[in-house]
Amino acid sequence: MLRSFSALLLAVFVSALSASADTGEQMYAIQCARCHGKNGEGSKKYPKPLAGERSVPQLAEQIQKTMPENDPGSLSKDDSAKIAAYTYDAFYSMAAREKKNPVRIELARLTVPQYKNAVADLLGSFRGGNNNTTWDATKRGLKGEYFKNRNHGQRQIDRLDPEVKFDFGTKAPAENGFDAKEFSARWSGSILVPETGEYTFTVKSDQSVRLWVNDNKKAIADGYVKSGDGNEYSGTIFLLGGRAYPIRVDFSKALQGVKDKDPKPKPAFVQLLWQTPHGTEEIIPARHLSPQFSPDVYVDTTKFPPDDRSYGWERGTTVSKAWDQATTDGAFDAAAYVSTRINEFAKTNEKDDKRADKLKVFLRQFAKTAFRRPVTDDVEKMYIARAIESTPDVQAAAKRAVLMILKSPRFLYREVGGTPDQYDVAARLAFALWDSIPDAELLALAANGKLKTLDDVRKQADKMTADTRAKARIQGFLHHWLKVDHARDAQKDPKRFPGFDAAIVADLRTSLDLFLDDVVWSDKSDFRRFFNSDEMYLNGRLAKFYGADLPADAAFQKVAFEKGRRAGVLTHPFMMATFAYTGDTSPIHRGVFVARGILGVGLKPPAEAFTPLAADLHPTLSTRERVELQTKGVNCQSCHAVINPLGFVLENYDAIGRFRAEDNKKPVNPTGGYQTRAGEQKTFAGATDLAKFLAESPDAHTAFAEQMFHHLVQQSIRAYGANRGADLRDSFAKSGYNVRQLAVEIVSTAAVKGREN
């Protein structure tokens, strides 16, 4: 009784103080400071500072629903708005925090992908240029050559084969000019690798076969001298994404060891397969193959410590002993590679009277390419002359010089010293769009003053997007945006979802990638298509799961669904499956993804981990009802008031992304809502309503632009001006929400601003 009376007195006292407080600052001091600190710095009870990304209207709604702790909901809308406005301006918002600690463009080392790509392109510039970063989109498949005898002699057929998947049976490749008992074939060209990682290549055949990938001298899989009954030959190799690599398969059918004077033709087959870093074994599709030639690519395989991603994007702002040692190991490997091929790189030989001079020319060009600018006399003396003068051994001198160049801060760091110039602009463009160093064309433009104006830079950046490295870079951002790059388990309960296995998951990821490619590289490159498309890429295996009428062996193709059943990436089965549990959906995971990833809402992690309420403990409740029950507390609602209404909208899609009308024998309730940063309350009747909103939402446009900026530039957008995000959103809108043009605008405007200007 006494405790209740004390609480009543406290409430009356606080109410009286509130009545006398006119400003947001005064009300904050009375209602909030005891828990959150005078300046939002936190307290012993609530140690985390008051800081976030919600707008004033969003913050006001949260305050009204959850504050103060002793009497949530007691504040009026007007008082909540005043407190929100004061809090936002004083210490909550990014702008307020930056007044105390202004954000600057940071000196950065090369990230791990940048290091590996830079070394690959540096060495590649002396081996036929960067042909491995161009791709002829008009031709798909490998050059197929068919020979009359078993030793690849007397060629009879020369054609384009989409895939290497042949069952010759007991017949020859063609009726004329071949003997079904003995013939050979060769498939050659290039293979385009979509992402960085380990690839396993396999060639299957009951005849003699051999496979080369990125090395025309050493086979990765060799079954040319058959012994035993094995028909599979494999090898694993680490490759960099966004590049084309040489590939060749030799096949031979012969009569060796056959004693029969008149033998009958034996069956013969051959298949070329791969397993990508996130896939399962499959026949290499035609879209990844080309008959054009590509030179070998030097791929650094040094193990590096991971880059810092604590800010949400890869940053090269920290240096550790492990990173320093990795760059040393990488430099030694590359230097050894160059020294053993010095005649090829320097275009000389042991009998050449001008070999030493040609070596100097090569090393000077090597340093220029590595340092991204012309080599001065002092730099040449430091890195080249000393190495050559130290030993008469040409190979040793070359190895020493290359080692010194690759360990130099001029190579390992971006914009080291000096006044920013057009060479820095070229480097920023290349690192942002290619994750690599400038090529000869970019350096020539810088030398000739052709990267002086913003329009000059925009024009070049637009041209650079056609490069396969840029396509991989943008695809990598989209994976980050959709959280595809996060390791998430998409395995499902086999009893509830029989047949949904690793192969299906890999197919779904391919389906999503094909859709993303289709949107970005279409003529309009319209961001809104990410959400308002009712089409999905399916093959025969996926068709039976998602209600499409395709043959079991059908290749990937666009399939249109009934209106209202699909809404682009928002309802893509890969997204729905990965943001779900093994047996049930997860409105919370889906809601967090939409709120934080798509709309850019700042959400704090829960105070403690929680386990979802088990369905068997509440057998009569739907998933929505269980989530509402578990998150109804005031403390939960500070975030779940945003999360749940967005996640519930997607409840028409089960744990593998199939459309459903019922959950636990109850009609699905897919209604939800969202309060925009401008304070407008939106309501949604289902996924397509939410998708339409996201397609046109300034909140989603801003979040997408800012996330792309961070991914490509790898610096805080705030370092480029307080209005940079709004400016990008406006230019995005003016372009018709063109994704490619957004990338061009981001890298162009960032390229012309260095650390010192």
Side-chain angles (χ1 to χ4, degrees):
M1 185 76 169
L2 181 61
R3 183 179 301 175
S4 299
F5 182 70
S6 298
L8 179 62
L9 282 177
L10 176 62
V12 171
F13 176 69
V14 169
S15 178
L17 285 175
S18 299
S20 64
D22 294 325
T23 69
E25 181 177 7
Q26 292 170 328
M27 283 187 281
Y28 176 85
I30 296 170
Q31 300 281 16
C32 314
R34 64 180 179 274
C35 290
H36 296 292
K38 182 179 179 181
N39 296 303
E41 70 276 11
S43 65
K44 186 175 181 180
K45 187 174 183 180
Y46 294 99
K48 292 184 179 180
L50 275 181
E53 298 177 13
R54 292 184 179 180
S55 65
V56 173
Q58 291 171 329
L59 195 57
E61 183 182 41
Q62 181 183 0
I63 290 171
Q64 188 182 14
K65 288 182 177 179
T66 64
M67 305 293 175
E69 180 186 41
N70 63 310
D71 192 14
S74 61
L75 291 171
S76 68
K77 284 188 176 182
D78 185 53
D79 288 348
S80 298
K82 287 180 179 179
I83 295 173
Y86 164 72
T87 303
Y88 186 89
D89 291 334
F91 43 76
Y92 176 86
S93 68
M94 181 68 73
R97 299 196 299 273
E98 287 173 0
K99 287 179 182 178
K100 297 180 180 179
N101 299 295
V103 180
R104 299 186 62 185
I105 300 174
E106 298 180 275
L107 174 66
R109 61 163 172 79
L110 302 186
T111 62
V112 177
Q114 287 171 350
Y115 179 89
K116 292 181 180 293
N117 279 299
V119 173
D121 286 330
L122 177 57
L123 272 60
S125 66
F126 298 95
R127 308 191 70 178
N130 288 331
N131 291 332
N132 56 350
T133 60
T134 60
W135 191 251
D136 185 355
T138 63
K139 295 180 180 179
R140 289 287 182 265
L142 294 177
K143 178 182 180 181
E145 300 173 275
Y146 297 81
F147 304 88
K148 190 173 182 179
N149 62 37
R150 65 183 178 87
N151 294 319
H152 299 90
Q154 297 180 295
R155 185 174 61 189
Q156 298 292 110
I157 299 175
D158 189 345
R159 70 189 189 194
L160 179 67
D161 286 328
E163 300 173 336
V164 179
K165 182 184 178 183
F166 296 99
D167 186 354
F168 298 111
T170 57
K171 298 180 180 180
E175 294 183 2
N176 299 324
F178 286 94
D179 183 348
K181 302 170 188 175
E182 183 175 290
F183 60 91
S184 58
R186 172 174 293 147
W187 295 275
S188 61
S190 303
I191 182 165
L192 182 64
V193 168
E195 59 184 317
T196 297
E198 288 193 340
Y199 289 76
T200 298
F201 290 88
T202 301
V203 59
K204 297 182 180 181
S205 181
D206 51 4
Q207 306 298 316
S208 295
V209 286
R210 190 178 291 157
L211 170 65
W212 293 262
V213 179
N214 198 33
D215 190 335
N216 290 315
K217 296 180 180 179
K218 184 179 180 181
I220 190 174
D222 195 341
Y224 222 65
V225 179
K226 286 183 65 65
S227 60
D229 299 325
N231 289 334
E232 294 188 20
Y233 309 92
S234 299
T236 300
I237 186 173
F238 180 85
L239 298 173
L240 300 174
R243 295 172 181 273
Y245 298 85
I247 188 169
R248 188 180 108 207
V249 180
D250 279 3
F251 165 91
S252 177
K253 182 180 182 182
L255 291 171
Q256 289 177 296
V258 177
K259 297 181 180 180
D260 193 339
K261 293 183 179 181
D262 188 22
K264 294 182 179 180
K266 291 186 176 181
F269 77 93
V270 60
Q271 297 177 350
L272 176 61
L273 309 94
W274 70 350
Q275 182 172 341
T276 61
H278 296 95
T280 55
E281 188 177 77
E282 63 174 344
I283 297 293
I284 300 179
R287 64 181 177 275
H288 291 286
L289 300 172
S290 169
Q292 72 187 50
F293 166 79
S294 288
D296 292 358
V297 181
Y298 175 79
V299 178
D300 176 81
T301 57
T302 306
K303 297 295 183 183
F304 277 76
D307 293 313
D308 174 28
R309 297 191 68 172
S310 60
Y311 280 47
W313 66 88
E314 288 179 341
R315 301 194 311 153
T317 53
T318 58
V319 176
S320 64
K321 289 183 178 179
W323 181 83
D324 183 64
Q325 184 59 52
T327 61
T328 300
D329 295 341
F332 269 108
D333 289 345
Y337 182 88
V338 171
S339 69
T340 58
R341 295 163 176 80
I342 192 60
N343 287 338
E344 175 191 349
F345 283 108
K347 296 180 173 57
T348 186
N349 57 69
E350 286 79 359
K351 297 180 180 181
D352 191 341
D353 295 337
K354 297 182 179 181
R355 195 179 187 212
D357 292 335
K358 290 182 177 179
L359 176 62
K360 288 182 181 179
V361 171
F362 159 69
L363 291 174
R364 190 179 181 92
Q365 182 62 34
F366 190 91
K368 175 184 177 181
T369 308
F371 296 161
R372 288 88 78 179
R373 62 181 55 250
V375 176
T376 64
D377 292 341
D378 289 342
V379 171
E380 180 175 12
K381 183 177 180 180
M382 180 184 296
Y383 293 97
I384 300 171
R386 287 181 182 177
I388 293 177
E389 293 167 0
S390 65
T391 175
D393 186 332
V394 171
Q395 280 188 297
K399 185 174 183 179
R400 184 171 300 176
V402 169
L403 182 61
M404 291 176 63
I405 290 168
L406 293 181
K407 278 296 293 181
S408 169
R410 298 171 188 270
F411 172 68
L412 294 174
Y413 291 81
R414 297 166 57 174
E415 302 180 48
V416 178
T419 303
D421 56 23
Q422 291 185 49
Y423 290 106
D424 284 330
V425 172
R428 294 185 206 113
L429 280 176
F431 282 122
L433 277 176
W434 295 343
D435 241 3
S436 188
I437 55 178
D439 60 8
E441 180 182 352
L442 263 177
L443 292 177
L445 289 171
N448 295 321
K450 296 296 181 65
L451 296 176
K452 188 175 183 179
T453 69
L454 183 55
D455 284 342
D456 289 338
V457 177
R458 283 194 182 108
K459 181 179 179 181
Q460 187 59 28
D462 187 59
K463 182 179 178 181
M464 291 168 66
T465 60
D467 192 292
T468 56
R469 292 169 296 178
K471 292 182 178 180
R473 190 94 169 95
I474 293 174
Q475 185 82 327
F477 160 66
L478 295 175
H479 284 172
H480 174 75
W481 175 56
L482 297 175
K483 304 300 180 283
V484 175
D485 60 348
H486 290 203
R488 297 199 307 272
D489 188 0
Q491 290 185 346
K492 301 300 171 186
D493 183 344
K495 293 182 179 179
R496 295 200 62 180
F497 306 105
F500 191 88
D501 55 17
I504 292 291
V505 175
D507 283 349
L508 286 177
R509 184 179 173 118
T510 298
S511 167
L512 179 62
D513 282 346
L514 289 172
F515 175 68
L516 297 176
D517 278 346
D518 188 34
V519 172
V520 175
W521 303 105
S522 62
D523 290 339
K524 293 185 178 180
S525 191
D526 192 336
F527 166 86
R528 293 168 293 190
R529 273 194 64 209
F530 284 139
F531 299 101
N532 60 24
S533 176
D534 60 1
E535 295 177 325
M536 190 167 78
Y537 279 85
L538 298 176
N539 62 4
R541 187 158 46 191
L542 291 179
K544 72 175 184 178
F545 275 91
Y546 299 102
D549 185 16
L550 294 178
D553 61 349
F556 277 101
Q557 54 196 274
K558 269 196 287 191
V559 175
F561 284 81
E562 179 184 341
K563 190 174 182 180
R565 289 296 179 97
R566 291 290 162 191
V569 296
L570 188 64
T571 63
H572 191 283
F574 183 81
M575 304 299 298
M576 295 293 91
T578 53
F579 289 116
Y581 295 113
T582 57
D584 294 298
T585 62
S586 176
I588 294 175
H589 285 93
R590 291 173 178 180
V592 168
F593 163 68
V594 175
R596 181 182 288 157
I598 305 298
L599 289 165
V601 177
L603 297 172
K604 293 181 180 180
E608 58 185 32
F610 70 93
T611 303
L613 294 177
D616 55 2
L617 295 179
H618 301 275
T620 64
L621 299 184
S622 66
T623 303
R624 176 172 182 146
E625 290 169 336
R626 289 198 308 274
V627 170
E628 288 174 330
L629 177 64
Q630 186 164 23
T631 61
K632 66 181 181 179
V634 173
N635 290 336
C636 297
Q637 282 299 300
S638 62
C639 286
H640 283 277
V642 177
I643 295 169
N644 293 0
L646 292 172
F648 291 151
V649 173
L650 300 172
E651 273 297 276
N652 272 132
Y653 301 88
D654 68 10
I656 64 171
R658 293 181 302 198
F659 188 88
R660 65 178 184 177
E662 291 187 347
D663 175 29
N664 198 22
K665 299 181 181 180
K666 291 185 175 183
V668 168
N669 176 7
T671 59
Y674 171 71
Q675 184 189 45
T676 69
R677 296 185 69 81
E680 185 180 1
Q681 187 64 45
K682 297 286 185 179
T683 58
F684 314 116
T688 53
D689 271 3
L690 175 58
K692 289 175 183 176
F693 164 73
L694 294 176
E696 303 292 343
S697 167
D699 293 2
H701 301 157
T702 302
F704 184 79
E706 291 192 359
Q707 288 183 67
M708 180 183 278
F709 185 100
H710 290 147
H711 185 87
L712 297 181
V713 181
Q714 297 176 331
Q715 296 278 354
S716 171
I717 193 172
R718 310 294 177 185
Y720 293 77
N723 296 322
R724 192 73 203 101
D727 292 343
L728 281 177
R729 182 193 63 220
D730 292 344
S731 66
F732 193 28
K734 289 178 182 178
S735 73
Y737 302 100
N738 187 298
V739 177
R740 291 200 308 275
Q741 287 306 306
L742 175 63
V744 168
E745 185 68 14
I746 285 171
V747 302
S748 301
T749 52
V752 298
K753 180 178 174 61
R755 290 193 305 117
E756 299 180 23
N757 61 354

